[in-house]
Amino acid sequence: MKLQKYSEIVAAISEACNKGDGSSVGVLMKKFPDVDKTTLGSISTQEVQRKVKKSFHRLNTPEKSSEIFHSYTARVEEGEAPGVLVRMAHELDYSPAMLAKLVLEHHLKATCPDVNITKSQINGLLRDTTLIDDRDLSYEVYLCLLEDDVYGPFADSIKHSIGQEYEFHLRKTLDKLNIVYHDEDELRSRGYDKTPDIKLDIPIAVDGQVINWIESKASFGDEESHRSYLKDQFWSYWNRFGPGLVIYWFGFIEELDEHREKGIMLRDSFPSSITFMDPLSVN
């Protein structure tokens, strides 16, 4: 996808949010019928994440978070119908799951002031809301987790499952082509800390470029995420294993594929035309 088309999609997402349509993929599909639904969904999710990150520091100050907590308790005491936190999240233009986490943390501090509340305890309650001692809050948090497609344990499980599905698809393709490889788990068992999803035992060539490793990303490759991956993952793989291939299954901004000559190639699917190396051949 060209950068210009990506910019148009991001602008459409912003426009939809301003009109109260949120980040509805259905709205985007009507405007961009030539773009795959999964691609639009991935771009939309990334935009929601950016918006939440910008709001996080504004809403998580001691003063603001305390104000939010007391507003929630007041509305519940006034007998407002269930779904208070979901409605508050929409009013604040914030993630329902993240708002639920904020309120839950305040609740725990208020009911157990002498106990040090850890992140693992809070995350445990989010994974099983029936363990929350306050019945109303338990249900409110549960509704927030159901509402949130981006944050929270339900959303995390879905994203993890999708990632696993595409990694399985990649391994199945390699097996079908009789390409011998080691996966991430096998590499880590050998003591490697940063590892790609696939390390080929015998390199292949794609468009004349040698490929030693393959990384699977069940997401859209935008500039921010790609730059982060380059810094935290891809260059480390390149430094250790040589040139490799990154597959962004939901597409990527074409202009980001600028490191081919240095040894990092981007694709949105497994290459259909590859060249196999014959280790027995003699030049």
Side-chain angles (χ1 to χ4, degrees):
M1 178 186 296
K2 293 292 186 181
L3 176 60
Q4 181 178 350
K5 173 59 73 69
Y6 170 75
S7 299
E8 292 173 1
I9 293 173
V10 170
I13 292 173
S14 178
E15 181 182 355
C17 290
N18 292 335
K19 291 181 178 180
D21 293 328
S23 55
S24 172
V25 176
V27 174
L28 297 176
M29 288 177 64
K30 292 179 181 178
K31 193 162 187 176
F32 303 97
D34 58 324
V35 181
D36 191 86
K37 178 180 179 181
T38 56
T39 298
L40 294 173
S42 185
I43 295 174
S44 178
T45 294
Q46 290 168 339
E47 288 304 300
V48 170
Q49 290 173 330
R50 290 192 182 91
K51 184 170 65 175
V52 169
K53 287 178 182 177
K54 290 179 180 178
S55 301
F56 179 81
H57 296 293
R58 174 174 58 85
L59 298 180
N60 279 267
T61 64
E63 296 80 10
K64 186 61 178 178
S65 59
S66 179
E67 176 187 328
I68 291 172
F69 175 68
H70 287 102
S71 175
Y72 159 72
T73 56
R75 290 168 70 160
V76 171
E77 290 172 359
E78 291 170 1
E80 188 172 322
V84 175
L85 281 181
V86 171
R87 289 189 289 275
M88 288 182 65
H90 290 162
E91 293 164 8
L92 293 166
D93 196 20
Y94 195 52
S95 155
M98 294 294 286
L99 184 65
K101 186 175 183 179
L102 181 154
V103 171
L104 176 59
E105 185 174 358
H106 265 271
H107 168 76
L108 294 175
K109 289 179 179 179
T111 55
C112 308
D114 300 324
V115 178
N116 182 32
I117 308 300
T118 65
K119 289 184 178 180
S120 61
Q121 288 175 305
I122 295 174
N123 290 334
L125 293 175
L126 291 174
R127 286 191 295 269
D128 186 356
T129 58
T130 63
L131 299 176
I132 299 174
D133 57 359
D134 184 285
R135 182 191 64 181
D136 293 327
L137 181 57
S138 173
Y139 188 51
E140 289 289 336
V141 171
Y142 177 69
L143 292 177
C144 282
L145 300 181
L146 288 179
E147 179 75 11
D148 204 314
D149 295 330
V150 180
Y151 290 94
F154 298 159
D156 288 343
S157 294
I158 293 172
K159 285 184 285 187
H160 178 73
S161 296
I162 294 174
Q164 291 289 98
E165 177 184 348
Y166 279 91
E167 287 181 27
F168 174 78
H169 172 68
L170 174 58
R171 291 194 297 269
K172 188 175 180 180
T173 300
L174 293 171
D175 292 339
K176 185 177 181 180
L177 293 172
N178 294 318
I179 297 176
V180 183
Y181 62 89
H182 286 85
D183 62 23
E184 184 177 18
D185 293 335
E186 292 172 317
L187 292 172
R188 288 187 175 177
S189 69
R190 295 185 174 190
Y192 291 104
D193 50 356
K194 290 189 175 182
T195 62
D197 293 315
I198 297 294
K199 169 63 176 69
L200 304 179
D201 285 10
I202 300 175
I204 60 174
V206 176
D207 295 341
Q209 178 175 311
V210 174
I211 300 297
N212 290 296
W213 53 267
I214 304 174
E215 180 73 5
S216 171
K217 294 295 183 187
S219 62
F220 181 83
D222 66 358
E223 184 173 6
E224 182 177 322
S225 61
H226 182 63
R227 301 297 181 202
S228 178
Y229 286 140
L230 278 170
K231 178 182 176 182
D232 299 334
Q233 298 179 358
F234 304 158
W235 287 125
S236 296
Y237 305 159
W238 175 87
N239 186 54
R240 178 163 290 173
F241 302 114
L245 168 67
V246 178
I247 303 179
Y248 284 110
W249 296 103
F250 301 158
F252 60 91
I253 298 173
E254 292 179 21
E255 287 84 347
L256 296 178
D257 191 14
E258 58 185 354
H259 298 297
R260 286 197 176 200
E261 292 185 1
K262 294 182 180 179
I264 297 179
M265 176 185 291
L266 306 186
R267 285 294 184 93
D268 59 7
S269 62
F270 190 84
S272 58
S273 178
I274 61 178
T275 303
F276 294 91
M277 176 185 292
D278 183 359
L280 299 179
S281 64
V282 178
N283 294 328

